[in-house]
């Protein structure tokens, strides 16, 4: 079956892995981060930065690559206090965007999540499996976005091509 989707492999993003209590991270980062997501496995955004709540006291901050230096200057990963961890991970993930009328069907081939809006809301973000690989999965306008470890990017691109052929 042929699927009506557009699949785009995106360029690098500015990514920072944040661990620690929210108050400690907020105190350190100041107002550079958006408001904290309201619940686990959700996201928030402000200006050019998104914040993903991916685990207990664990978040990922994401921005366009051209914001990496500015964000890094505010977060100061190498100088942060011992009660928090901030690690720049920009080169570790490759993001893909799957959009179009059949985006949910293609994602259902690749990933075991239930993508119905009642189960995977607009602000949902979570780690799951995608073609048996660990992937960060979320909704985007018109479909879904996901990220896999950079070294698997070519393989996932091939799998998506085969799944939609």
């Amino acid at each position: 079956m042929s699927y009506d989707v557009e699949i785009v492999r995106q360029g690098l993003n500015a990514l920072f892995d944040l661990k620690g209590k929210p108050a400690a991270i907020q105190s350190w980062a100041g107002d550079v981060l958006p408001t904290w997501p309201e619940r686990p496995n959700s996201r928030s955004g402000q200006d050019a930065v998104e914040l993903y709540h991916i685990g207990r006291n664990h978040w990922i901050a994401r921005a366009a690559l051209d914001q990496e230096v500015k964000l890094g200057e505010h977060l100061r990963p190498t100088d942060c206090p011992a009660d928090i961890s901030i690690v720049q991970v920009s080169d570790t993930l490759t993001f893909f965007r799957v959009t179009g009328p059949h985006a949910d069907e293609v994602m259902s081939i690749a990933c075991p999540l239930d993508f119905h809006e009642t189960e995977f809301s607009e602000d949902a973000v979570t780690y799951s499996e995608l073609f048996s690989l660990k992937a960060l999965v979320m909704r985007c306008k018109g479909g879904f976005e996901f990220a896999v470890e950079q070294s698997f990017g070519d393989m996932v691109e091939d799998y998506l091509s085969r799944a939609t052929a």
Side-chain angles (χ1 to χ4, degrees):
M1 174 178 182
S2 181
Y3 296 96
D4 184 8
V5 293
E6 180 180 10
I7 298 170
V8 176
R9 185 175 180 172
Q10 301 175 40
L12 290 177
N13 291 264
L15 299 170
F16 290 84
D17 183 88
L18 312 167
K19 292 180 183 159
K21 296 194 184 289
I25 296 172
Q26 279 179 311
S27 174
W28 178 255
D31 61 356
V32 72
L33 296 174
T35 58
W36 294 91
E38 294 182 16
R39 62 190 184 290
N41 297 323
S42 68
R43 62 185 171 187
S44 61
Q46 175 181 317
D47 299 325
V49 180
E50 289 187 314
L51 191 60
Y52 308 148
H53 188 175
I54 57 169
R56 183 170 184 232
N57 294 327
H58 192 183
W59 297 266
I60 291 179
R62 179 183 179 193
L65 191 58
D66 63 357
Q67 297 295 310
E68 183 176 54
V69 172
K70 180 181 174 187
L71 196 54
E73 287 171 352
H74 285 283
L75 295 175
R76 302 181 321 265
T78 58
D79 299 327
C80 67
D83 61 338
I84 63 173
S85 169
I86 300 176
V87 179
Q88 185 177 346
V89 293
S90 302
D91 61 348
T92 63
L93 297 176
T94 297
F95 282 82
F96 290 84
R97 193 174 284 250
V98 179
T99 57
H102 298 140
D104 57 341
E105 293 177 44
V106 170
M107 289 299 291
S108 291
I109 293 169
C111 181
L113 289 176
D114 182 349
F115 289 108
H116 192 273
E117 299 90 18
T118 59
E119 298 300 318
F120 199 75
S121 64
E122 188 174 310
D123 69 342
V125 59
T126 192
Y127 273 104
S128 185
E129 286 188 0
L130 191 121
F131 297 118
S132 297
L133 301 169
K134 182 179 179 180
L136 183 65
V137 183
M138 66 201 80
R139 284 192 177 276
C140 68
K141 185 174 181 172
F144 301 90
E145 192 170 32
F146 66 87
V148 294
E149 183 192 316
Q150 179 93 358
S151 63
F152 293 119
D154 291 340
M155 183 173 74
V156 169
E157 193 168 25
D158 180 60
Y159 288 171
L160 287 168
S161 175
R162 292 172 189 273
T164 59

